[in-house]
Amino acid sequence: MPKENKKRGRREEKKRKRDENEVHERASPKRQRSEEGVGGDDVEIILDVDPSLNYQESGPAPLSEDTPFYGLLDEEEQTYFKRADTLLELNQFADDEERSLFLANVYREAGGKELKVVCSQSCSRLMERLIRLSTAEQLKSLFQKFTGHFLHLVQHRFASHCCEALFLQAAPIVTQELIGPLAESTEPVDEGGLSMSMEDLFLSVVKELEGNLGYLMTDNFASHTLRVLLIVLSGQPLRSTATRSLLQSKKKEKIDVTGRRTESKGEEMAYRTVPESFQVALDEMILGTVAGLDTTYLQALATHPTGNPVLQLLIELEFSRSGKSKAREENSLFRRLLPDDPPVEDTQSASFVKGLLYDPVGSRLLETIVQFAPGKVFKTLYKSLFRDNIGNLVRNDIAGFVAGRILERLSHDDLQYAVGQICQHASLLIERQRTSVIKTMIERCQVREVDMHAIADTITTAYGGNGASMLVNMVRLSKDDSQPMAPERKSQVEAQDAGKLHGSLLAQSMVLASGPLRDTICNSITAMDTSTLLLMAKDRTATHVLQVALTCEGQTKAFRRKTIQQFFGHIPELAFDAIASHVVDVLWTSTEDLLFIRERVAEDLLQNEATLRESYSGRAVWRNWMMDLYKRRRVDWISNAKGTQDAKVTHANPKPRDGTVVKSGIELARERFAATKAGKPARRRPRLGTGANGVLPSARSGGISAKV
């Protein structure tokens, strides 16, 4: 009997096993399908929960066999698009017109092949860059090409990123269309198609995804696109810090174009005006997402790595848009998640919340609930579950973040009680370098005007008592220079030292809080010797504490004078250092009412002018201290230092003593030119000298009289 003809080798064996696994996976359906879906096999979504529980799905989940195949780009097309991607990334066009022509040519070449491009691993980056550089009409045209395919594109590994970029770039256009019609474009519209408004295009996407939202929440790729769509419909800021953490992963590749025109930071952080139809569509999406989900499934979704961010966003939108009454309705998302009202001990909701406190994923959902829940809902949760346990929560690495959110919403009396509970564990927190909760507590005590003597005593004891050693231990200032390191390597080591950073942030919050906490830090600074203070000024992390201490509002003159005088004789040394030069810069602000110290610092800088000009940081200090003015026109510099000099009055154009306004030379020249052109005698300004030769206009005769 002849043997089977098969190839030998480990690679062939691995390939054979991989092919067998793929065939087996295709034969077994992965996701649950409703009665409306294709086929009759019923399976469940796999979550990291008890497999014995039975979960429901809110919509049909298309199988992998149902995913359409849009074709592949040939070798010549791939070469062209890769070349175009490289040119767009470099952005070395002569002007915007040349780049616009290039974009039009790329769009013309990609006509009819858009779906192939977005699904290509190598060319999808080109489509993202095209979207970021496209005009409103080009975005609308691309939007229409994708219409009818969004359900499959948002689940694709590469096309989903293009959909995210398209939604983000098209969102501002919706607001612009509400304000007024956009300028008509000269670009031709697709044959047989009409130009739709961006509002209608977004609504068509919502309609297309309707019925599949429950499944898309847990899809690895569609989940991100779904969050972007929810943000666009709600009108929330597109680029805020809180929104960015929900929309994309830290590992997401940043694809951008150098030199492209971007919106200002204020526009990106501001709320957008959206049409009323978006609000209706958003309500329908939220209802459709949770329509077929029961409490068991939602609680399992709270600990799901992919579904949790979507659930966070839905909870936030429900609280922020629907007001206080929505949280108590039976069909609300929050009430489905926590059905017991109130969630007292020994209830299923209380057990669920306690489980979320210590879960790395679920705790983020609990932070969102604490942050955005209405006042009555938060007070109920706090009194039932958190009030008597706040001291134990701060000790846990995960629950500590939830405790910080809780502290931000406490009233004066509740915060005072929480301070007493947390101070019992403050020494342990400092030992473990978990000082973020203490920092939040200090900031809230400053806002609520809670007494902070107990906090000051606890921190002082934990860091080794009063004196210079307390702040040195807090910022972990190292005096050991036996192993010198390069500046780049030193910055890398300091960046990895999280305890050093948290200690610096804690010290800064103590300085900004007036009262015993500020006195504790200031007394530690004044107790330092000159060498330690210079070392602190040159430390990348600790220097911020010194700068804040010198410039904070309400700082005493005695502290500033005593601290700055220790720098005398070392000002040039600090100015040469890239880090300590910022301390020299803040000395100008901190010596606003100490003119003699300003002059002393300026003299030290002037004596080292040549050396300072050779250093980058030295030139910056020279410019910030206006040393050129001090060197050439010291009277003006002193007047500026006193804060009494008018911005428009200079040594060449002094202000008369009688209070009359003296026009500048260019203004008088314009008047003379206009008078000469009109045939009138020109009016000249009398020459005004300075010093003993100065003269002033006579108030009686209008002539020139000698200076008294």
Side-chain angles (χ1 to χ4, degrees):
M1 181 177 180
K3 295 183 178 181
E4 180 183 359
N5 185 16
K6 60 180 181 179
K7 297 182 180 180
R8 299 169 56 187
R10 290 177 296 176
R11 294 183 179 178
E12 291 297 329
E13 184 67 22
K14 291 181 180 180
K15 182 179 179 182
R16 190 181 305 109
K17 291 182 179 180
R18 184 169 62 250
D19 294 340
E20 292 176 357
N21 292 334
E22 290 180 357
V23 173
H24 177 71
E25 290 176 359
R26 291 180 180 178
S28 60
K30 298 180 181 179
R31 306 181 180 99
Q32 180 183 3
R33 303 172 66 101
S34 65
E35 296 179 357
E36 299 175 358
V38 179
D41 297 332
D42 292 334
V43 294
E44 59 187 14
I45 296 179
I46 300 176
L47 298 173
D48 297 333
V49 293
D50 187 358
S52 62
L53 299 176
N54 184 24
Y55 303 120
Q56 298 178 357
E57 184 73 69
S58 65
L63 295 179
S64 58
E65 289 86 349
D66 297 338
T67 303
F69 178 66
Y70 300 110
L72 298 175
L73 298 171
D74 57 33
E75 185 176 354
E76 183 179 355
E77 291 172 341
Q78 287 189 12
T79 303
Y80 173 80
F81 289 129
K82 287 180 181 179
R83 175 61 178 168
D85 183 33
T86 303
L87 294 177
L88 286 178
E89 182 179 6
L90 296 176
N91 195 29
Q92 296 178 348
F93 302 99
D95 50 20
D96 293 341
E97 183 179 358
E98 181 180 347
R99 186 174 62 183
S100 300
L101 292 175
F102 178 77
L103 291 175
N105 292 332
V106 175
Y107 266 111
R108 189 179 302 110
E109 183 67 25
K113 298 186 283 286
E114 292 88 355
L115 297 176
K116 294 182 181 180
V117 174
V118 296
C119 295
S120 171
Q121 179 179 4
S122 58
C123 299
S124 60
R125 295 181 178 86
L126 168 65
M127 185 57 69
E128 286 194 60
R129 289 193 173 90
L130 283 176
I131 291 172
R132 285 173 167 80
L133 294 170
S134 298
T135 62
E137 291 299 326
Q138 289 172 338
L139 289 176
K140 288 182 181 181
S141 176
L142 191 62
F143 222 124
Q144 293 176 350
K145 297 289 182 61
F146 290 171
T147 300
H149 305 278
F150 275 110
L151 180 59
H152 306 292
L153 294 180
V154 297
Q155 301 176 64
H156 195 274
R157 178 179 180 182
F158 309 116
S160 60
H161 297 284
C162 297
C163 293
E164 292 178 36
L166 181 61
F167 293 162
L168 290 174
Q169 291 299 120
I173 301 177
V174 177
T175 305
Q176 296 174 12
E177 291 179 343
L178 289 177
I179 299 175
L182 299 177
E184 295 185 0
S185 176
T186 57
E187 299 176 4
V189 185
D190 295 342
E191 297 181 2
L194 299 176
S195 179
M196 301 173 61
S197 65
M198 197 62 75
E199 176 185 354
D200 296 334
L201 291 173
F202 271 110
L203 294 177
S204 66
V205 176
V206 175
K207 186 175 181 180
E208 183 176 347
L209 300 181
E210 188 178 4
N212 299 274
L213 299 176
Y215 156 71
L216 296 178
M217 290 175 64
T218 56
D219 186 85
N220 289 335
F221 306 113
S223 171
H224 297 82
T225 312
L226 182 60
R227 298 173 221 167
V228 174
L229 184 58
L230 290 172
I231 290 291
V232 171
L233 295 177
S234 65
Q236 289 192 350
L238 301 174
R239 305 291 181 181
S240 65
T241 305
T243 303
R244 190 183 306 115
S245 62
L246 281 176
L247 294 186
Q248 62 189 31
S249 169
K250 294 181 180 179
K251 300 179 181 180
K252 179 179 173 62
E253 180 183 1
K254 184 178 180 181
I255 298 178
D256 207 341
V257 179
T258 305
R260 75 180 182 94
R261 186 188 67 82
T262 57
E263 296 181 355
S264 62
K265 186 175 181 181
E267 294 177 350
E268 293 180 345
M269 301 291 288
Y271 283 84
R272 295 170 292 105
T273 303
V274 294
E276 187 66 26
S277 59
F278 275 20
Q279 303 296 331
V280 177
L282 183 59
D283 292 335
E284 293 178 354
M285 283 189 67
I286 296 177
L287 291 176
T289 302
V290 300
L293 307 182
D294 56 4
T295 300
T296 305
Y297 185 89
L298 284 175
Q299 292 182 355
L301 200 63
T303 57
H304 191 272
T306 307
N308 177 274
V310 183
L311 198 57
Q312 289 183 54
L313 187 56
L314 292 175
I315 288 285
E316 178 182 346
L317 293 176
E318 182 176 87
F319 283 151
S320 59
R321 296 177 60 256
S322 302
K324 303 177 181 179
S325 60
K326 184 65 175 178
R328 296 189 177 275
E329 295 180 4
E330 293 296 332
N331 61 341
S332 66
L333 177 60
F334 174 74
R335 189 50 58 201
R336 288 192 180 187
L337 193 64
L338 301 177
D340 299 308
D341 187 18
V344 295
E345 290 287 344
D346 299 330
T347 60
Q348 194 269 344
S349 298
S351 302
F352 170 66
V353 171
K354 290 180 180 179
L356 292 183
L357 280 171
Y358 304 100
D359 188 87
V361 178
S363 61
R364 296 180 180 272
L365 175 62
L366 199 54
E367 286 185 55
T368 304
I369 294 175
V370 170
Q371 184 179 4
F372 295 100
K376 292 184 178 180
V377 176
F378 169 75
K379 289 180 181 179
T380 302
L381 290 173
Y382 175 70
K383 292 180 180 179
S384 303
L385 303 174
F386 303 138
R387 187 177 187 275
D388 298 329
N389 200 32
I390 190 70
N392 295 326
L393 293 180
V394 298
R395 297 168 53 188
N396 187 270
D397 294 346
I398 298 174
F401 293 100
V402 182
R405 293 293 186 184
I406 294 173
L407 292 174
E408 293 176 356
R409 299 204 58 179
L410 294 183
S411 61
H412 178 276
D413 296 336
D414 291 335
L415 183 59
Q416 194 169 11
Y417 176 80
V419 168
Q421 297 292 321
I422 295 175
C423 285
Q424 299 177 9
H425 308 280
S427 299
L428 181 61
L429 294 176
I430 293 174
E431 181 182 351
R432 295 180 178 179
Q433 302 175 7
R434 302 291 303 177
T435 58
S436 58
V437 177
I438 302 177
K439 173 178 173 293
T440 304
M441 180 175 62
I442 292 173
E443 294 172 350
R444 298 309 302 170
C445 287
Q446 177 71 8
V447 174
R448 298 296 186 185
E449 299 181 354
V450 177
D451 182 70
M452 291 181 280
H453 283 86
I455 303 176
D457 296 339
T458 304
I459 293 177
T460 302
T461 304
Y463 281 110
N466 294 317
S469 60
M470 191 211 72
L471 186 57
V472 171
N473 295 334
M474 183 179 293
V475 298
R476 305 179 70 171
L477 197 62
S478 176
K479 299 182 180 180
D480 185 15
D481 295 335
S482 58
Q483 296 180 352
M485 291 185 292
E488 296 79 6
R489 176 57 181 167
K490 188 175 181 180
S491 62
Q492 294 177 358
V493 173
E494 291 179 353
Q496 297 175 356
D497 191 355
K500 187 181 182 70
L501 175 61
H502 286 295
S504 175
L505 294 175
L506 176 61
Q508 294 176 50
S509 64
M510 294 174 65
V511 172
L512 295 175
S514 59
L517 292 174
R518 177 183 294 181
D519 296 340
T520 301
I521 298 296
C522 292
N523 293 337
S524 183
I525 293 177
T526 53
M528 291 181 180
D529 54 10
T530 304
S531 59
T532 305
L533 200 60
L534 292 176
L535 185 63
M536 183 177 178
K538 296 178 182 179
D539 189 85
R540 185 180 301 274
T541 307
T543 184
H544 295 285
V545 180
L546 190 58
Q547 296 175 32
V548 173
L550 290 172
T551 58
C552 64
E553 184 179 0
Q555 185 60 272
T556 62
K557 184 185 296 186
F559 168 78
R560 288 183 281 122
R561 181 175 62 249
K562 186 174 182 179
T563 304
I564 297 174
Q565 284 177 347
Q566 296 191 58
F567 292 137
F568 287 166
H570 303 279
I571 297 296
E573 177 187 350
L574 296 177
F576 297 148
D577 190 84
I579 299 172
S581 60
H582 296 287
V583 177
V584 183
D585 291 336
V586 302
L587 292 183
W588 176 269
T589 305
S590 59
T591 56
E592 185 177 5
D593 52 351
L594 300 171
L595 181 60
F596 70 98
I597 293 183
R598 273 189 178 179
E599 293 188 64
R600 174 65 185 274
V601 174
E603 282 294 331
D604 288 351
L605 295 175
L606 184 62
Q607 294 174 6
N608 296 269
E609 177 184 1
T611 313
L612 286 172
R613 291 186 181 277
E614 295 177 357
S615 170
Y616 175 80
S617 57
R619 290 193 297 270
V621 171
W622 185 273
R623 180 176 61 254
N624 294 334
W625 272 77
M626 300 178 291
M627 291 304 299
D628 288 328
L629 184 64
Y630 179 83
K631 180 180 178 182
R632 295 179 175 86
R633 294 182 295 179
R634 187 165 301 186
V635 176
D636 293 345
W637 187 91
I638 294 175
S639 180
N640 197 342
K642 290 180 178 179
T644 58
Q645 185 181 22
D646 190 354
K648 294 184 179 180
V649 179
T650 61
H651 180 70
N653 185 21
K655 188 175 182 179
R657 293 181 180 178
D658 59 356
T660 59
V661 179
V662 178
K663 297 181 179 180
S664 62
I666 187 64
E667 292 175 342
L668 291 174
R670 288 170 180 167
E671 289 184 359
R672 290 197 299 269
F673 177 78
T676 303
K677 196 171 183 179
K680 298 179 180 180
R683 179 183 178 184
R684 293 183 174 274
R685 181 184 65 181
R687 293 183 176 275
L688 302 178
T690 59
N693 297 324
V695 293
L696 291 173
S698 175
R700 178 177 302 177
S701 61
I704 304 300
S705 61
K707 182 180 179 181
V708 179

mmCIF file of all heavy atoms in Angstrom, residues 87-106:
data_model
loop_
_atom_site.group_PDB
_atom_site.id
_atom_site.type_symbol
_atom_site.label_atom_id
_atom_site.label_comp_id
_atom_site.label_asym_id
_atom_site.label_seq_id
_atom_site.Cartn_x
_atom_site.Cartn_y
_atom_site.Cartn_z
ATOM 1 N N LEU A 87 4.816 59.684 1.236
ATOM 2 C CA LEU A 87 4.831 61.109 0.904
ATOM 3 C C LEU A 87 3.944 61.912 1.850
ATOM 4 O O LEU A 87 4.306 63.033 2.257
ATOM 5 C CB LEU A 87 4.372 61.302 -0.549
ATOM 6 C CG LEU A 87 5.302 60.739 -1.632
ATOM 7 C CD1 LEU A 87 4.690 60.928 -3.015
ATOM 8 C CD2 LEU A 87 6.672 61.411 -1.561
ATOM 9 N N LEU A 88 2.792 61.362 2.216
ATOM 10 C CA LEU A 88 1.912 62.068 3.142
ATOM 11 C C LEU A 88 2.514 62.137 4.537
ATOM 12 O O LEU A 88 2.348 63.125 5.252
ATOM 13 C CB LEU A 88 0.550 61.384 3.201
ATOM 14 C CG LEU A 88 -0.369 61.590 1.996
ATOM 15 C CD1 LEU A 88 -1.652 60.805 2.177
ATOM 16 C CD2 LEU A 88 -0.680 63.068 1.802
ATOM 17 N N GLU A 89 3.210 61.082 4.933
ATOM 18 C CA GLU A 89 3.826 61.087 6.259
ATOM 19 C C GLU A 89 4.947 62.122 6.342
ATOM 20 O O GLU A 89 5.082 62.826 7.345
ATOM 21 C CB GLU A 89 4.374 59.698 6.581
ATOM 22 C CG GLU A 89 4.989 59.589 7.971
ATOM 23 C CD GLU A 89 5.507 58.194 8.250
ATOM 24 O OE1 GLU A 89 5.491 57.359 7.328
ATOM 25 O OE2 GLU A 89 5.928 57.945 9.390
ATOM 26 N N LEU A 90 5.730 62.249 5.276
ATOM 27 C CA LEU A 90 6.807 63.244 5.265
ATOM 28 C C LEU A 90 6.263 64.660 5.124
ATOM 29 O O LEU A 90 6.817 65.604 5.691
ATOM 30 C CB LEU A 90 7.779 62.936 4.121
ATOM 31 C CG LEU A 90 8.528 61.607 4.224
ATOM 32 C CD1 LEU A 90 9.374 61.384 2.974
ATOM 33 C CD2 LEU A 90 9.405 61.574 5.474
ATOM 34 N N ASN A 91 5.173 64.802 4.345
ATOM 35 C CA ASN A 91 4.503 66.100 4.170
ATOM 36 C C ASN A 91 5.482 67.178 3.691
ATOM 37 O O ASN A 91 5.565 68.273 4.242
ATOM 38 C CB ASN A 91 3.839 66.540 5.484
ATOM 39 C CG ASN A 91 2.843 67.664 5.258
ATOM 40 O OD1 ASN A 91 2.251 67.768 4.188
ATOM 41 N ND2 ASN A 91 2.656 68.499 6.258
ATOM 42 N N GLN A 92 6.224 66.881 2.645
ATOM 43 C CA GLN A 92 7.209 67.815 2.108
ATOM 44 C C GLN A 92 6.676 68.517 0.858
ATOM 45 O O GLN A 92 7.392 68.714 -0.122
ATOM 46 C CB GLN A 92 8.501 67.067 1.786
ATOM 47 C CG GLN A 92 9.179 66.473 3.007
ATOM 48 C CD GLN A 92 10.434 65.699 2.664
ATOM 49 O OE1 GLN A 92 10.699 65.400 1.495
ATOM 50 N NE2 GLN A 92 11.227 65.374 3.673
ATOM 51 N N PHE A 93 5.432 68.921 0.902
ATOM 52 C CA PHE A 93 4.824 69.630 -0.217
ATOM 53 C C PHE A 93 5.169 71.116 -0.146
ATOM 54 O O PHE A 93 5.393 71.665 0.941
ATOM 55 C CB PHE A 93 3.312 69.433 -0.211
ATOM 56 C CG PHE A 93 2.889 67.996 -0.282
ATOM 57 C CD1 PHE A 93 2.520 67.300 0.856
ATOM 58 C CD2 PHE A 93 2.881 67.329 -1.494
ATOM 59 C CE1 PHE A 93 2.129 65.977 0.798
ATOM 60 C CE2 PHE A 93 2.491 66.000 -1.564
ATOM 61 C CZ PHE A 93 2.120 65.315 -0.422
ATOM 62 N N ALA A 94 5.177 71.740 -1.293
ATOM 63 C CA ALA A 94 5.533 73.163 -1.342
ATOM 64 C C ALA A 94 4.495 74.027 -0.644
ATOM 65 O O ALA A 94 4.832 74.967 0.073
ATOM 66 C CB ALA A 94 5.716 73.609 -2.799
ATOM 67 N N ASP A 95 3.236 73.733 -0.845
ATOM 68 C CA ASP A 95 2.164 74.499 -0.213
ATOM 69 C C ASP A 95 0.934 73.615 -0.087
ATOM 70 O O ASP A 95 0.923 72.440 -0.494
ATOM 71 C CB ASP A 95 1.845 75.769 -1.017
ATOM 72 C CG ASP A 95 1.642 75.475 -2.491
ATOM 73 O OD1 ASP A 95 1.373 74.294 -2.839
ATOM 74 O OD2 ASP A 95 1.755 76.399 -3.319
ATOM 75 N N ASP A 96 -0.119 74.172 0.479
ATOM 76 C CA ASP A 96 -1.358 73.412 0.674
ATOM 77 C C ASP A 96 -2.021 73.046 -0.648
ATOM 78 O O ASP A 96 -2.672 71.993 -0.752
ATOM 79 C CB ASP A 96 -2.332 74.223 1.530
ATOM 80 C CG ASP A 96 -1.834 74.402 2.948
ATOM 81 O OD1 ASP A 96 -0.956 73.623 3.363
ATOM 82 O OD2 ASP A 96 -2.312 75.329 3.638
ATOM 83 N N GLU A 97 -1.854 73.899 -1.659
ATOM 84 C CA GLU A 97 -2.474 73.612 -2.950
ATOM 85 C C GLU A 97 -1.865 72.368 -3.586
ATOM 86 O O GLU A 97 -2.573 71.524 -4.149
ATOM 87 C CB GLU A 97 -2.319 74.815 -3.873
ATOM 88 C CG GLU A 97 -3.000 74.633 -5.225
ATOM 89 C CD GLU A 97 -2.845 75.864 -6.103
ATOM 90 O OE1 GLU A 97 -2.237 76.855 -5.637
ATOM 91 O OE2 GLU A 97 -3.325 75.825 -7.245
ATOM 92 N N GLU A 98 -0.545 72.249 -3.482
ATOM 93 C CA GLU A 98 0.113 71.076 -4.047
ATOM 94 C C GLU A 98 -0.322 69.808 -3.318
ATOM 95 O O GLU A 98 -0.555 68.771 -3.941
ATOM 96 C CB GLU A 98 1.631 71.237 -3.945
ATOM 97 C CG GLU A 98 2.418 70.069 -4.527
ATOM 98 C CD GLU A 98 3.911 70.269 -4.411
ATOM 99 O OE1 GLU A 98 4.338 71.407 -4.112
ATOM 100 O OE2 GLU A 98 4.654 69.284 -4.596
ATOM 101 N N ARG A 99 -0.464 69.896 -2.012
ATOM 102 C CA ARG A 99 -0.910 68.731 -1.258
ATOM 103 C C ARG A 99 -2.358 68.381 -1.596
ATOM 104 O O ARG A 99 -2.724 67.206 -1.672
ATOM 105 C CB ARG A 99 -0.760 68.987 0.243
ATOM 106 C CG ARG A 99 -1.063 67.767 1.099
ATOM 107 C CD ARG A 99 -0.777 68.005 2.560
ATOM 108 N NE ARG A 99 -1.617 69.069 3.107
ATOM 109 C CZ ARG A 99 -1.523 69.520 4.354
ATOM 110 N NH1 ARG A 99 -0.615 69.012 5.159
ATOM 111 N NH2 ARG A 99 -2.325 70.481 4.778
ATOM 112 N N SER A 100 -3.199 69.393 -1.811
ATOM 113 C CA SER A 100 -4.593 69.131 -2.175
ATOM 114 C C SER A 100 -4.689 68.422 -3.516
ATOM 115 O O SER A 100 -5.502 67.504 -3.690
ATOM 116 C CB SER A 100 -5.380 70.441 -2.204
ATOM 117 O OG SER A 100 -5.365 71.075 -0.943
ATOM 118 N N LEU A 101 -3.850 68.832 -4.467
ATOM 119 C CA LEU A 101 -3.836 68.162 -5.760
ATOM 120 C C LEU A 101 -3.383 66.713 -5.628
ATOM 121 O O LEU A 101 -3.916 65.806 -6.278
ATOM 122 C CB LEU A 101 -2.925 68.917 -6.730
ATOM 123 C CG LEU A 101 -3.402 70.308 -7.162
ATOM 124 C CD1 LEU A 101 -2.339 70.983 -8.029
ATOM 125 C CD2 LEU A 101 -4.720 70.208 -7.926
ATOM 126 N N PHE A 102 -2.389 66.494 -4.759
ATOM 127 C CA PHE A 102 -1.911 65.132 -4.543
ATOM 128 C C PHE A 102 -3.007 64.273 -3.913
ATOM 129 O O PHE A 102 -3.208 63.109 -4.305
ATOM 130 C CB PHE A 102 -0.664 65.164 -3.653
ATOM 131 C CG PHE A 102 -0.111 63.802 -3.338
ATOM 132 C CD1 PHE A 102 0.626 63.103 -4.273
ATOM 133 C CD2 PHE A 102 -0.342 63.221 -2.107
ATOM 134 C CE1 PHE A 102 1.129 61.850 -3.993
ATOM 135 C CE2 PHE A 102 0.152 61.973 -1.809
ATOM 136 C CZ PHE A 102 0.899 61.282 -2.758
ATOM 137 N N LEU A 103 -3.729 64.830 -2.940
ATOM 138 C CA LEU A 103 -4.820 64.086 -2.312
ATOM 139 C C LEU A 103 -5.913 63.741 -3.316
ATOM 140 O O LEU A 103 -6.471 62.635 -3.296
ATOM 141 C CB LEU A 103 -5.411 64.893 -1.150
ATOM 142 C CG LEU A 103 -4.536 65.074 0.091
ATOM 143 C CD1 LEU A 103 -5.224 65.995 1.088
ATOM 144 C CD2 LEU A 103 -4.241 63.734 0.736
ATOM 145 N N ALA A 104 -6.227 64.702 -4.192
ATOM 146 C CA ALA A 104 -7.249 64.440 -5.205
ATOM 147 C C ALA A 104 -6.824 63.304 -6.127
ATOM 148 O O ALA A 104 -7.646 62.450 -6.507
ATOM 149 C CB ALA A 104 -7.525 65.717 -5.997
ATOM 150 N N ASN A 105 -5.533 63.267 -6.483
ATOM 151 C CA ASN A 105 -5.041 62.187 -7.339
ATOM 152 C C ASN A 105 -5.108 60.826 -6.629
ATOM 153 O O ASN A 105 -5.447 59.798 -7.237
ATOM 154 C CB ASN A 105 -3.614 62.477 -7.779
ATOM 155 C CG ASN A 105 -3.529 63.666 -8.722
ATOM 156 O OD1 ASN A 105 -4.480 63.956 -9.452
ATOM 157 N ND2 ASN A 105 -2.409 64.369 -8.705
ATOM 158 N N VAL A 106 -4.772 60.829 -5.329
ATOM 159 C CA VAL A 106 -4.834 59.573 -4.573
ATOM 160 C C VAL A 106 -6.276 59.087 -4.474
ATOM 161 O O VAL A 106 -6.560 57.893 -4.638
ATOM 162 C CB VAL A 106 -4.212 59.754 -3.180
ATOM 163 C CG1 VAL A 106 -4.390 58.481 -2.352
ATOM 164 C CG2 VAL A 106 -2.739 60.096 -3.293
#
